[in-house]
Each structure stands twice: as structure tokens, then as C-alpha cells.
Amino acid sequence: MNSLNGKVAIVGAADTEVGVVPHMGATQLCVDAALRALDDAGINKEQVDGLITCNSMAEPYMYHAEAIAEYMQIFPRYCLGVGTGGGTTFSVLHHAASAIATGVCDTVLITMADSLHSGLSKEQAMAMQASTGHQQFEIPYGPTVPAFYALAGQAHMAEYGTTPEQFAAIAVACRKHANLNPAAQKREIITVEDVLNSRMIADPLHLLDCSLISDGGSAVVLTSAERAADFKSPPVYLLGVGEGHSHEHISQARNLTTSAAAESGQRAYDMAGVGPSDIDVAQIYDCFTPTVLIELEDLGFCEKGEGGAFVENGNVELGGSLPVNTHGGLLSHCHPGNPGSMFALTEAVAQLRHQAGGRQVKDANISLVHGQGGILSSHTTLILGRDKH
Amino acid sequence: MADHSGKNFPTPTKETAPYWEGCRNHQLVIQQCPKCEYYQFYPRMMCTHCSHGYMDWVTVSGNGRVISFTVIRRPISPAYKAEAPYVVALIKLDEGPTMMSNIVECEPEKVFIGMKVNVVFEDWSEDISIPKFVPQK
């Protein structure tokens, strides 16, 4: 298998305004993100020959990427709209990198946005939530999205003695980072007690163990490493990428406490030729706090079952052994649904360019970015570097 | 029959009809491979263990144990309001497969991982009965 290590670079990255953005629709946010990323790359829209988007729940299109291309009047030779987010966001980055490396196209724009906070009616939001799960074998029992993840969290507690306080420490770390990020939706500092005192949603998940509901968009521009020098901003190189896919429905999971992040992570490490101890900063998908804890274990940052101890005492905070979600994550920065992983990617780019301001991890050279989607179903891990290695 | 209108009714397919027919008769009927004897749930046209292309339908004990659960405090929709707080659980059947269900006839606080449970059926309509689980006596 040919390795993608060092062959592709991110040369543009930008977010829109995020949080509560009622003055813009989902399509506008998607295009706004695209324009900002093109500006960051220092190119015009005519230089884009590949386009990838995700569909919007607030303003869906049958052919979403084509709709955005039409809106912007660009005419790509590589064009793909995906229906899901989470790990899929990085899976399509994997596709885009492969397309660039094999000469299918030169410059790919990935732009994703939605307005889940301002763009959905209450009925649309309830219908969206009720559509998650197996129509015959899960949904009749009245589960919610938090409930599906709670099943993994509860199993981890029973198997390894993980505590609600340890899950809460993840929310506290993300909020501490969001406090340093002027763009974040929720910035006021919280404590473990605040998390435990917040309303119980689905045991063991409290309100503050759950990610936000937001508006926002984010985009990146990818090109070959050879061409990267022609762009305005310093390139960030793709060193490794790996995927793992284990199920669609949580009731069919091979294991509730070990995810396919173990496979995606190993594949990405193997391609990059690095291991967990080489990672300076990590962005780990945090739809709910137990997701982070399980992924940290599966990605090899600690032993299986020791995630609880690992996240305590500030280890995942800035200044700790592995700063995680330095922008504030889905828990505190923003979570507009399918585009959620993109903000972790643009944050990794900011960290590796050493442009993250007050939340910069000193001398950050290698970042791991992990996305998952479904209910711990679909995983993609990226390893990005300041240098090609 | 209690009022279950507005709930998320399952829509049986050609492939799953024998399962729902079993439920209607208050029997838990799942698939077993005639070649390798592997039990599987949900119903499929192939054995996921040995890839055999045909599965038998068998009535199983309905006994299992809770491998995880959560308590839903805020119902998914108004139709589920009367039941809230309710328990959504994963039950590993004694025969091997795992299925999602509710634990009923039990205080949510008394449910625990490892709890032994057995199936009961809740009639939602003339055609649809839903398998749920209660603590084993």
C-alpha cells in the first residue's frame, strides 16, 4: 500500500462565526467558511478543482456539494457531498488526500456548515433525534442520542470503576480551553461540581457532559506537498490517516468499552511512523465526555481502563501531559452537527502554525485529530505535522 | 390495551416479519444457523458467523442479563412521557445475541449491570407487541 505520509498538505483553514448565528443560514455559513479558507490559502475560487461538503439538516440539498459549487459558480472535476459528520469528515479528507496523491485533482476545498441552533424548528430537532437508532430494534424503546452514549459510559464505569467525576474532568478541561478562545460559544469556567450538579440527562450523563447545539461552519484547503509552497499560509502536512468501522447501531457493537479508534489510531500511527508519545496536542471527538475517555484509551494515550485516572488532575488541560481539545471542543467551542469535527481540524492547523494565541501549546510539532460518528461506530484518525518528516 | 398511540412503532419488513409474528404470539423468536448453530439478532438473510445463506427461526428462552443501561429522564417525545423516567438497556440473551429493550416492572434505581432478566411482551396494537424485560423472580 502506498503511504500518503508527507504527500498532501493543508494550506488553508478557517472557521465562520460560531455559536448562535441567527443572521446567517446554513448555506451561507458553508460558503462563508469556504471563502475564508480560500482567503487564508491566498487563492481564488477558480483554483479549486475538488469540492467536498456535508449535507445540512437545516437547509438540505439532494446534491449538497453540487449546490454549493453552483452557488459559488465553481466547476470542480472532483465533487462529493456526504450525509454524515463525525469520523466521516476525516474519512473524506482521506479520500481527498488520495485523490490529490493520485493526480485526480490538485486543490480540494472541504467546507461544512449547519445551523442546528437557529435553523431547526423544535419539531425538526425532535424528529432528528428520534431518527437516530434502528427503526425496529432500538427506536421503539424511546432512546435519545445521549442515551446511546450513556450505555458506553455506564459499561465503562462498571468494568473499570470509572467515576462521574472523571467524566466531568473532561468537560472542565474543554471549558478551560474555551475560556481562552474568544470564538467559543461557552466560555465561563466550570468545575467538576458544576458538571455533577447539572441536570441528569441519561445516567451517567449530566447536561454539562453533553456537547452544545450550535450554528457554524469551517473549511480547509488541501493540495499536494509539492505545490504547498505556492500558497500564502504555512503548510501543515498530513503524516498519517487511518480508519476503523465497527457497527452502525450501538446494540450491535462488538464491545461497548473498546471502539474501532484502536484500529484507526494504529493505522494512522503506522503510516506516520510515530506513536502516542510523539503527539504534542490532540483534538479528540467529544460529543459526550465518555467518548473522549474511551478514545484516549483506544488511541494508546493510556492503558484500557485507565482513562479515568488519565483525565484527572489536569492532564488533558493546557500545561498537562496531553492538552486535548484546545479550542474547547464540541463541549464548549461549538457543535453544529455534521460539521463538528472540522473545528478540531482547523484548531490543529492553528496549533501547528503556532497561531493559537493564548491557548497555544508550546512548540507543537505533531497533532493527532480523531473523529468518530454514529454511536462510536465510524472512526478516522489524522496525524498532522508542522514538518514533513 | 393501554394507549400507545404516538410511540415509535416498528415497521416489520419481509426479513423481520417472523420475529414480529413471534412477538405477537408472545414468543421471542430469533435466528439460528442450521450449519454452525450460531444464534443471531437482528434477523438477516445470512449467518454473520459462517456466512451460511439461510437461517432457521427458533423460539429462545427469553432469559438474559443486562450488560448496560441508562435512565432517560426526559422522554424522546410526548408519547413516552407517562413512562419517564424509563430504562433503556442492552440485554445479552443466554443464547448469545444482544438486544436493546426497556427494563420494566422495576424501579430505575434498582437496575444494575449483570442483573438477570426475562422477556415479557407489551401489546401496542393488534399487530405489534414489543418485547421488554423484567427482573428474574
Side-chain angles (χ1 to χ4, degrees):
Chain A
M1 191 173 68
N2 285 329
S3 171
L4 289 166
N5 185 343
K7 291 189 177 156
V8 172
I10 297 170
V11 291
D15 300 342
T16 67
E17 185 184 340
V18 304
V20 182
V21 193
H23 56 279
M24 290 180 86
T27 306
Q28 288 176 296
L29 287 166
C30 191
V31 174
D32 186 36
L35 295 173
R36 289 172 188 244
L38 294 177
D39 183 54
D40 183 64
I43 60 172
N44 59 46
K45 67 186 173 76
E46 282 69 32
Q47 289 168 269
V48 171
D49 65 352
L51 177 68
I52 297 177
T53 70
C54 70
N55 213 343
S56 156
M57 294 179 193
E59 294 179 9
Y61 295 98
M62 182 183 283
Y63 285 78
H64 190 273
E66 284 77 359
I68 297 300
E70 172 191 279
Y71 185 116
M72 295 178 72
Q73 285 292 292
I74 60 176
F75 305 94
R77 54 178 162 162
Y78 178 83
C79 194
L80 175 68
V82 295
T84 53
T88 307
T89 300
F90 301 151
S91 300
V92 293
L93 190 144
H94 191 182
H95 284 256
S98 304
I100 292 166
T102 52
V104 172
C105 55
D106 292 328
T107 304
V108 178
L109 169 66
I110 303 177
T111 184
M112 299 188 172
D114 212 344
S115 49
L116 292 197
H117 190 285
S118 307
L120 290 185
S121 66
K122 197 173 178 188
E123 289 69 31
Q124 269 182 309
M126 287 295 279
M128 183 186 85
Q129 178 156 259
S131 68
T132 305
H134 197 293
Q135 197 277 336
Q136 295 177 69
F137 304 117
E138 294 184 343
I139 288 176
Y141 299 106
T144 58
V145 174
F148 288 126
Y149 282 92
L151 292 168
Q154 195 91 291
H156 203 280
M157 290 170 70
E159 196 166 347
Y160 300 112
T162 309
T163 66
E165 288 79 3
Q166 291 170 330
F167 289 138
I170 295 164
V172 168
C174 286
R175 186 59 63 85
K176 187 175 172 186
H177 300 159
N179 179 260
L180 299 170
N181 182 357
Q185 185 174 348
K186 292 282 186 187
R187 298 186 62 201
E188 62 280 16
I189 291 291
I190 55 172
T191 64
V192 167
E193 289 69 36
D194 291 334
V195 179
L196 300 184
N197 290 333
S198 65
R199 185 161 54 87
M200 190 66 95
I201 301 293
D203 308 38
L205 301 181
H206 305 81
L207 180 66
L208 292 176
D209 286 300
C210 304
S211 53
L212 304 171
I213 296 173
S214 319
D215 309 321
S218 180
V220 296
V221 177
L222 259 65
T223 195
S224 66
E226 291 79 46
R227 300 181 73 245
D230 302 338
F231 291 77
K232 184 174 86 179
S233 294
V236 165
Y237 296 97
L238 179 66
L239 305 181
V241 51
E243 301 186 29
H245 307 277
S246 55
H247 59 270
E248 151 73 325
H249 306 98
I250 189 71
S251 58
Q252 295 284 322
R254 294 175 300 187
N255 189 308
L256 290 172
T257 54
T258 297
S259 75
E263 290 143 66
S264 69
Q266 193 56 53
R267 287 164 185 152
Y269 289 134
D270 287 347
M271 186 186 288
V274 302
S277 62
D278 297 308
I279 305 300
D280 299 313
V281 52
Q283 317 297 342
I284 310 277
Y285 199 83
D286 58 334
C287 50
F288 300 95
T289 53
T291 319
V292 179
L293 195 139
I294 289 169
E295 290 169 346
L296 284 167
E297 294 173 347
D298 292 341
L299 293 166
F301 292 112
C302 60
E303 293 295 314
K304 178 50 67 183
E306 292 177 6
F310 184 78
V311 299
E312 282 181 318
N313 306 318
N315 271 334
V316 292
E317 295 180 8
L318 280 162
S321 62
L322 181 76
V324 169
N325 298 349
T326 45
H327 57 317
L330 304 168
L331 287 164
S332 286
H333 171 258
C334 78
H335 190 188
N338 286 344
S341 292
M342 287 294 290
F343 304 93
L345 182 59
T346 52
E347 172 67 8
V349 170
Q351 288 285 347
L352 294 174
R353 286 180 182 173
H354 297 174
Q355 292 174 351
R359 60 183 195 280
Q360 179 63 47
V361 174
K362 195 168 176 291
D363 300 330
N365 271 318
I366 301 182
S367 180
L368 179 147
V369 193
H370 182 80
Q372 70 87 36
I375 313 295
L376 292 164
S377 313
S378 168
H379 296 257
T380 304
T381 309
L382 307 175
I383 295 172
L384 306 173
R386 217 177 131 76
D387 306 306
K388 251 193 273 184
H389 288 270
Chain B
M1 200 180 297
D3 181 20
H4 295 279
S5 57
K7 286 192 175 170
N8 300 318
F9 275 65
T11 307
T13 62
K14 279 179 191 163
E15 188 159 59
T16 64
Y19 169 78
W20 290 111
E21 179 63 23
C23 289
R24 202 164 76 90
N25 298 322
H26 289 199
Q27 289 186 321
L28 194 62
V29 176
I30 68 169
Q31 290 182 320
Q32 186 179 23
C33 179
K35 193 172 159 199
C36 75
E37 302 187 336
Y38 181 74
Y39 289 94
Q40 74 183 16
F41 183 78
Y42 48 82
R44 294 155 163 106
M45 62 184 282
M46 59 173 284
C47 174
T48 56
H49 186 249
C50 75
S51 296
H52 187 63
Y54 173 81
M55 298 296 281
D56 286 336
W57 292 93
V58 294
T59 302
V60 293
S61 66
N63 295 328
R65 63 186 173 82
V66 173
I67 60 167
S68 195
F69 73 99
T70 184
V71 185
I72 310 235
R73 309 281 168 168
R74 211 173 163 198
I76 183 79
S77 72
Y80 289 81
K81 201 172 172 182
E83 292 167 36
Y86 55 91
V87 175
V88 169
L90 294 176
I91 294 105
K92 188 170 173 61
L93 300 173
D94 285 355
E95 290 80 6
T98 296
M99 58 191 293
M100 184 173 283
S101 188
N102 300 127
I103 307 298
V104 295
E105 297 174 32
C106 178
E107 295 288 318
E109 288 70 28
K110 294 193 174 147
V111 177
F112 60 94
I113 289 177
M115 180 186 232
K116 289 186 171 180
V117 291
N118 61 261
V119 74
V120 295
F121 292 88
E122 198 171 274
D123 298 327
W124 280 17
S125 72
E126 299 228 335
D127 296 324
I128 294 294
S129 295
I130 303 288
K132 298 204 168 182
F133 287 80
V134 298
Q136 282 182 21
K137 296 275 187 311

